[in-house]
Amino acid sequence: MNRPWGLLAEFDDSDRLIEAVRRTREAGYTEFEAHTPFPVEGLADALDFQENKIDPLHLAGGIVVGGAALLLQWWINVVDYPLNIGGRPLAAWPAFVLPTFEIATVGATVVGVAAMLYLNGLPGRKTHPLLKMERFHLASDSRFFLSIQASDPVYEPRRTRAFLEGLGPVALDEVPR
Amino acid sequence: MSRLLSSEETYETVTQQVTDITLHPPARRRWWMLMALSLLMLGIFFLSTGWLFIAGVGIWGLNVPVNWGLDIVNTVWWVGIGHAGTMISALLLVMGQQWRNSLNRFAEAMTLFAAICAALFPILHLGKPELFYWMFPYPNTMDLWPQFRSPLVWDVFSFTAYITVSFLFWYVGMIPDLATMRDKTTKPLARAIYGRLALGWRGTAQHWERWRQAYVAIALITFHLVVTVHSGVAMLFAGGPVPGWHTTIFPPFFVQGAVFSGVAVVILLAVVLRHAFHLGNLLTLKHLDILAKLLLATGLLTAYGYLADAFHAWYSGDIHEMQTLHDRLFGRYAWSAWGSLFLNIVLIQLLWFRRIRRSVPMLFVIALGAAVGMWLERYLLIVTGLYRDFLPSSWHGYETTIWEWGLFIGSIGLFAVLFLLFARFLPLVSMFELKEELAAERRMKGDEE
Amino acid sequence: MTLRMAIAGGGLAAFLLGMAAALAGSAFWLGLYLALLVGLTAVPLGALALLMIHQLAGGEWGRNLGPLLRGATRLLPLAALLFVPVLVGLEVLYPWARPGWEGPGGKGVWLQDWFFIARSVVYFASWILTAWLLLRPGRHPVVAGLGMAAYTITASLAGVDWLMTLEPEFNSSVFGLLFMSQLVLGALALLVAVALRSPMALPARKTLASLLLAAVLLWGYLAFMQYLVIWSVDLPHEVSWYLQRSEGVWALIPWGLVLLQFLLPLILLLSWARSSRRILAGVAVLLFAMHMLEAGWMVLPGLRL
């Protein structure tokens, strides 16, 4: 028989999920995920998930793209196509401020969104094993889920199932591959 | 903080109610009737643009000295309306104002569609609309480049940036709800489409954490982008030595006037959606009350702008400034001045009263007045700034033609079609943010007990 | 008690110095007095605005800043008193108050000695009245709403009167709004610096940092927009305001403002540095110092000595 993808426990309360996540981590599991229908305060702390890559990437995107926009404006108006417009200086820095900022916002947003999706592994597999589970649709509705993958080094079918049952889920299912 | 939502709401009822609008449309007939009307107006749009492509801008009433007429009025008006969506959604998110959660999704949609409508007019105004891409800086065989010292060129970038960023803000904010749609629908085709759009979202803690970082950052970015976009629009006027146009208050004045008109349109849409889809429990009277206060506050700022503008024109003692001020109040287009003064300043004073803020029909009328009033104000600023040039020999009036009105009505049709499609097929209210709010309210209640 | 006596003593000394400058007819010294006075008056005046905004919008920051805002607002009568030397020495500072000056149209009406003095009295009377009504115990949203509406007009006109008419040719319709943003920024900077002397939790400090950031952005936006509009159209009676303020050593100040009242605070307030109490206090002190310098820059280069 094929090894299953993992186990999926369902909880009806976010506090119970936070508690379950904390205990799962303490039990030494590493390849598990918590699924919630909305951002739950304290869940990231329970997972000890601290990552701050998105903000710096937004900033970097903004600076690089904005800098390029400023340079392009200067090069066009001063070097490649100088034109006397009402006696204004060729390098008209005050006039370059708004377009530079606006193009920078596009750079920052696009880079930040791309980073968010990439780090999250999205767009993901079209048919993720979890998405085929009968009750998993509730993860985007009203229930809170904890999934432990079979690839986890600590995973052992029977012991992990017993462990999850001890956390007080309202349902517990095996996730086929 | 007082509760906005009834204690009867649960996570399930929120999901059920919002997904039902799409999956089991309640007001199918009314939706089709509205859609038919909107499609008719969209037909007028295509007719007006079609004839414009064939005959050229001569079909409009524009001529020296009034070279900007209804087309630019509509641009400024539409892009202004968009701004309130961003303000409500982005600024209030950053400020942690919970009440936005019932409104932000459709307000963002409004922003995007209004920005699309706004961007059409300057392109159609070009004379050769099909060559609009010449305005972008790309290496070309003519060896020409745009020149960046003109606010007209800035607007190419501000509109492009605005549409791109507000689309991403709207879409990123919608991904988790698209996953809910994917999970709730039973039809295979719908499931496939929503699934594609949801990008495989599984709502893991890591997903949410990264998503939140990105979402808050984009909110901050969009807010500042909005301010610069409309300041750039204001520079179209303030950046030239035209009496009645060149005045330093225009950038902030345009920005907050934009928010004023946009809040008015958000109120109009909220009232319609609330009625059409029975959303009274999610879009409560408390929400309308807060929106009404916002309309009053931004309206008072609009009044401040009028006063500052008029005072400094008078104070300057410049004969041309004085003449423009006089023409605006008593000249050929005085109706636009008195109309906007009445609708934007006098009428909204009713909102000081709580009973009127909570009366849906009154609020609807006042908000409609503000939207019309701001259109009149844009008309006033543009046309009366131009029709009496420095030299009396070049004074010339401006008569609109049927094609200009056709395009304006058509743009409303375009907006309505896009909005109706959105209301029919996409989650109209942000479900996960409402659930988050419910969770916070429950926690607070738990703390109290 | 000692603070109160110090303020009273300092106020009296300043009053006497200002009177001396006014009576001696020294434009430079009276101009310096005006600059310092306007810079410092921002504290009670900006505090009044923040108090009204807090009554209307609420927010956690009221808990930390509230007592300071109330205390600062109580300084308004002192500020009113300190304006007397300026009003006595109108002719010294303001070219339009000198004999033989005639202005076109509205300027001729607006810029008259008695009218100017009467307006200043009305401004202060309305602010003191609003403050008095607000400082009574309890919440007063209606007073705050109406007060804010009146304040935007009186404070704008005060900025126009006291600072813009130093050069009667100059006219900028955003000047009043810009002046108000300076008031709020100046008041907030000083009061945040003072508030940080007592211990405060990290979230509360972050809120104060966000407030400062908002004030810096608002000021930066309005200041740049006024500059951009005037720079774009390049009319002599408008650009001369900036040209006079960028001659010789004065040229350092606009650059200083861009760097130290905008870019540096922006970077520090947006980054991890905002979590540090010391850095936040340092930013607040820097912003207040720059605010005072800006007041000097707005007054002194334009004086007709």
Side-chain angles (χ1 to χ4, degrees):
Chain A
M1 200 189 107
N2 267 344
R3 227 171 116 92
W5 183 82
L7 283 167
L8 180 67
E10 176 183 336
F11 299 86
D12 57 0
D13 183 78
S14 56
D15 291 340
R16 205 159 296 153
L17 176 72
I18 292 176
E19 176 62 19
V21 162
R22 208 179 47 77
R23 283 178 48 191
T24 313
R25 189 160 62 87
E26 280 166 7
Y29 290 96
T30 46
E31 294 182 23
F32 65 98
E33 284 180 332
H35 311 265
T36 57
F38 55 87
V40 171
E41 219 181 302
L43 193 57
D45 289 338
L47 275 163
D48 197 28
F49 177 70
Q50 284 165 337
E51 182 192 88
N52 197 1
K53 289 182 187 159
I54 308 259
D55 284 347
L57 284 168
H58 272 296
L59 188 67
I63 289 176
V64 170
V65 176
L70 187 62
L71 201 65
L72 181 70
Q73 292 178 68
W74 174 83
W75 180 79
I76 286 175
N77 278 192
V78 177
V79 180
D80 200 50
Y81 194 52
L83 206 59
N84 184 342
I85 305 283
R88 287 177 192 176
L90 292 176
W93 300 109
F96 298 162
V97 169
L98 283 183
T100 303
F101 179 79
E102 282 152 358
I103 299 168
T105 62
V106 178
T109 310
V110 170
V111 171
V113 170
M116 185 270 283
L117 294 176
Y118 176 76
L119 290 171
N120 273 343
L122 302 176
R125 285 165 57 190
K126 220 172 77 192
T127 47
H128 192 279
L130 282 173
L131 295 178
K132 284 184 287 197
M133 295 298 290
E134 195 193 343
R135 287 183 67 80
F136 191 70
H137 71 92
L138 293 172
S140 65
D141 179 5
S142 55
R143 295 302 172 92
F144 306 85
F145 288 83
L146 176 68
S147 65
I148 300 183
Q149 291 173 36
S151 52
D152 193 301
V154 192
Y155 184 90
E156 200 280 322
R158 259 178 312 157
R159 222 172 328 130
T160 303
R161 178 176 270 274
F163 168 76
L164 282 173
E165 262 163 10
L167 298 173
V170 291
L172 181 60
D173 290 305
E174 197 178 74
V175 185
R177 197 165 279 276
Chain B
M1 208 178 88
S2 63
R3 301 174 65 100
L4 285 160
L5 300 173
S6 146
S7 52
E8 285 158 25
E9 301 295 340
T10 62
Y11 304 144
E12 287 90 349
T13 59
V14 169
T15 313
Q16 189 73 29
Q17 190 179 357
V18 178
T19 51
D20 269 358
I21 294 174
T22 305
L23 303 178
H24 311 284
R28 222 175 266 252
R29 260 194 55 208
R30 235 178 303 169
W31 187 87
W32 273 114
M33 272 155 61
L34 281 173
M35 194 57 169
L37 183 69
S38 309
L39 283 172
L40 186 73
M41 284 158 80
L42 188 64
I44 298 175
F45 173 83
F46 284 121
L47 195 68
S48 310
T49 19
W51 182 233
L52 180 75
F53 269 71
I54 295 166
V57 280
I59 61 169
W60 294 347
L62 301 176
N63 210 332
V64 176
V66 186
N67 284 314
W68 285 358
L70 240 51
D71 48 350
I72 307 299
V73 173
N74 293 333
T75 291
V76 180
W77 186 72
W78 273 120
V79 75
I81 283 172
H83 290 341
T86 317
M87 291 286 176
I88 285 177
S89 196
L91 186 60
L92 299 179
L93 172 76
V94 177
M95 287 166 65
Q97 300 280 335
Q98 294 287 333
W99 62 272
R100 77 181 258 291
N101 293 342
S102 297
L103 306 164
N104 63 335
R105 177 67 44 71
F106 76 81
E108 286 161 23
M110 174 192 86
T111 294
L112 183 62
F113 304 149
I116 290 170
C117 288
L120 284 170
F121 286 97
I123 291 177
L124 294 175
H125 177 96
L126 285 175
K128 286 188 183 296
E130 65 279 11
L131 297 178
F132 75 95
Y133 61 90
W134 282 17
M135 291 181 295
F136 287 99
Y138 67 100
N140 53 64
T141 52
M142 300 166 288
D143 225 5
L144 290 174
W145 291 104
Q147 78 85 15
F148 286 92
R149 284 160 293 179
S150 162
L152 293 162
V153 169
W154 305 349
D155 280 358
V156 178
F157 296 94
S158 55
F159 279 68
T160 316
Y162 192 44
I163 290 177
T164 316
V165 174
S166 35
F167 169 74
L168 283 172
F169 185 53
W170 178 63
Y171 177 62
V172 168
M174 200 158 48
I175 291 174
D177 276 353
L178 288 168
T180 307
M181 301 298 293
R182 168 198 69 199
D183 295 342
K184 278 283 161 273
T185 184
T186 45
K187 293 175 193 137
L189 179 65
R191 192 176 151 80
I193 293 172
Y194 288 126
R196 282 285 161 88
L197 291 174
L199 303 175
W201 180 265
R202 296 186 308 282
T204 68
Q206 287 87 342
H207 278 184
W208 282 118
E209 191 60 23
R210 295 192 185 103
W211 174 88
R212 172 169 296 284
Q213 286 175 18
Y215 192 58
V216 171
I218 306 172
L220 268 173
I221 293 169
T222 359
F223 167 69
H224 292 99
L225 176 60
V226 160
V227 173
T228 50
V229 165
H230 220 61
S231 301
V233 171
M235 284 303 293
L236 293 175
F237 307 98
V242 177
W245 278 14
H246 169 61
T247 180
T248 50
I249 203 165
F250 262 21
F253 172 51
F254 267 54
V255 172
Q256 64 81 23
V259 177
F260 173 63
S261 62
V263 171
V265 176
V266 169
I267 292 178
L268 295 179
L269 291 173
V271 169
V272 172
L273 293 175
R274 188 170 187 276
H275 187 69
F277 300 118
H278 310 291
L279 287 170
N281 57 330
L282 301 182
L283 277 165
T284 63
L285 283 179
K286 273 186 201 163
H287 288 105
L288 292 181
D289 184 72
I290 301 173
L291 281 173
K293 283 182 186 162
L294 204 58
L295 188 67
L296 178 62
T298 46
L300 290 173
L301 278 168
T302 309
Y304 173 87
Y306 290 157
L307 281 176
D309 191 23
F311 171 79
H312 284 271
W314 170 78
Y315 173 84
S316 73
D318 182 279
I319 50 165
H320 298 292
E321 291 284 349
M322 287 299 288
Q323 188 210 331
T324 305
L325 184 63
H326 186 270
D327 287 343
R328 280 184 172 163
L329 291 173
F330 309 108
R332 190 163 165 184
Y333 306 100
W335 50 268
S336 62
W338 297 106
S340 60
L341 283 174
F342 175 74
L343 293 169
N344 296 342
I345 295 178
V346 179
L347 194 61
I348 59 158
Q349 302 306 322
L350 288 171
L351 297 173
W352 286 95
F353 302 101
R354 184 187 152 93
R355 205 188 307 161
I356 291 181
R357 289 200 303 267
R358 296 202 170 209
S359 147
V360 176
M362 284 299 286
L363 193 54
F364 190 85
V365 170
I366 294 171
L368 189 63
V372 175
M374 282 308 291
W375 191 89
L376 291 175
E377 186 209 293
R378 305 314 194 190
Y379 186 94
L380 162 84
L381 288 176
I382 292 171
V383 176
T384 58
L386 291 173
Y387 83 109
R388 291 193 159 185
D389 213 339
F390 287 107
L391 283 175
S393 60
S394 41
W395 289 0
H396 200 279
Y398 169 57
E399 303 289 343
T400 50
T401 66
I402 192 168
W403 298 109
E404 288 168 284
W405 289 105
L407 201 56
F408 177 45
I409 293 166
S411 70
I412 296 176
L414 176 64
F415 178 86
V417 167
L418 289 171
F419 200 85
L420 283 167
L421 287 174
F422 156 71
R424 172 70 183 78
F425 293 111
L426 291 171
L428 193 57
V429 175
S430 174
M431 291 178 269
F432 69 94
E433 276 164 309
L434 279 179
K435 290 175 198 166
E436 206 184 354
E437 189 181 328
L438 274 178
E441 287 185 355
R442 278 185 190 175
R443 227 187 357 263
M444 257 187 341
K445 203 174 154 211
D447 289 346
E448 279 163 20
E449 278 164 10
Chain C
M1 205 58 209
T2 47
L3 179 66
R4 212 173 274 186
M5 275 163 66
I7 289 175
L12 185 69
F15 182 82
L16 292 175
L17 285 172
M19 274 315 244
L23 295 174
S26 160
F28 175 76
W29 289 108
L30 192 59
L32 190 61
Y33 177 83
L34 176 71
L36 290 171
L37 181 59
V38 170
L40 290 172
T41 303
V43 176
L45 210 47
L48 179 63
L50 287 164
L51 209 56
M52 289 189 283
I53 292 170
H54 184 260
Q55 293 251 330
L56 288 171
E60 281 294 302
W61 52 279
R63 206 171 295 168
N64 291 304
L65 284 186
L68 288 172
L69 292 174
R70 288 163 183 274
T73 312
R74 291 207 172 84
L75 291 172
L76 273 173
L78 178 67
L81 191 70
L82 289 176
F83 261 91
V84 172
V86 175
L87 301 180
V88 169
L90 276 187
E91 208 174 307
V92 183
L93 283 180
Y94 297 92
W96 50 263
R98 294 172 194 164
W101 186 87
E102 263 179 72
K107 278 179 190 160
V109 181
W110 193 254
L111 300 177
Q112 304 179 62
D113 293 11
W114 69 269
F115 195 21
F116 184 94
I117 294 169
R119 284 197 309 268
S120 286
V121 170
V122 170
Y123 303 151
F124 272 109
S126 75
W127 299 330
I128 291 170
L129 178 71
T130 316
W132 181 72
L133 289 171
L134 275 180
L135 289 179
R136 291 171 307 155
R139 275 191 75 229
H140 309 284
V142 177
V143 175
L146 293 172
M148 200 64 216
Y151 178 94
T152 46
I153 293 173
T154 49
S156 307
L157 289 178
V160 167
D161 277 356
W162 298 340
L163 298 181
M164 202 181 90
T165 68
L166 284 166
E167 285 135 289
E169 306 77 30
F170 183 61
N171 185 15
S172 164
S173 52
V174 84
F175 202 90
L177 216 52
L178 180 58
F179 181 66
M180 271 192 276
S181 77
Q182 290 165 341
L183 297 178
V184 171
L185 180 57
L188 204 56
L190 187 69
L191 297 180
V192 165
V194 175
L196 285 172
R197 284 161 53 116
S198 38
M200 198 187 294
L202 183 63
R205 292 207 308 268
K206 281 193 172 169
T207 313
L208 293 188
S210 305
L211 277 179
L212 269 182
L213 184 63
V216 167
L217 285 170
L218 180 67
W219 171 82
Y221 166 70
L222 292 173
F224 177 67
M225 281 304 153
Q226 173 174 292
Y227 178 73
L228 184 62
V229 172
I230 289 175
W231 176 88
S232 295
V233 178
D234 208 20
L235 292 174
H237 64 273
E238 291 178 347
V239 284
S240 57
W241 195 86
Y242 281 105
L243 288 176
Q244 273 182 330
R245 279 162 182 73
S246 48
E247 261 174 18
V249 72
W250 290 119
L252 292 173
I253 297 185
W255 287 111
L257 288 172
V258 170
L259 290 175
L260 300 177
Q261 191 167 304
F262 191 74
L263 284 179
L264 184 65
L266 195 69
I267 293 166
L268 290 176
L269 291 172
L270 273 173
S271 65
W272 53 268
R274 63 191 288 173
S275 311
S276 150
R277 193 166 76 101
R278 276 208 187 157
I279 293 181
L280 186 56
V283 170
V285 170
L286 173 72
L287 283 173
F288 188 71
M290 293 313 292
H291 163 76
M292 292 304 289
L293 198 63
E294 189 191 11
W297 178 71
M298 291 184 78
V299 173
L300 293 174
L303 292 178
R304 316 271 153 85
L305 298 171

